[in-house]
Amino acid sequence: MPRPPQLVISDLPSTRPADRCWLVELAGADGCRYAYRVYASEHALPGDLFWSALHHHDEGPLPRALDLFDSALIRLLG
């Protein structure tokens, strides 16, 4: 049985033509919203996009983002 293609999720611009740019907006504990570009295939799961943006946010100096999936806005940019 063939295996499904492995998703590659990154916050860096992709050189792969199949990858798309997603906008993931996270709610911050300080009341602000933080937006991140995530590069992944158009078949990426919303949860994977959310966790990629959240982990990237946690590595930075900004106040904590809420880890509530329902508070995130995720949309395909192109």
Side-chain angles (χ1 to χ4, degrees):
M1 175 192 251
R3 297 173 70 177
Q6 184 176 7
L7 294 177
V8 176
I9 298 176
S10 172
D11 57 346
L12 300 174
S14 175
T15 57
R16 294 173 26 166
D19 283 354
R20 302 287 183 249
C21 182
W22 294 84
L23 178 70
V24 181
E25 189 176 312
L26 306 173
D30 59 353
C32 294
R33 298 199 60 88
Y34 299 97
Y36 292 92
R37 286 181 300 223
V38 177
Y39 295 90
S41 78
E42 63 184 298
H43 304 293
L45 298 175
D48 292 336
L49 298 168
F50 169 78
W51 285 112
S52 177
L54 185 67
H55 287 296
H56 182 76
H57 179 84
D58 284 345
E59 293 174 359
L62 299 170
R64 183 158 160 59
L66 302 177
D67 58 354
L68 302 172
F69 177 76
D70 292 340
S71 68
L73 299 174
I74 300 172
R75 60 183 161 209
L76 182 61
L77 294 180

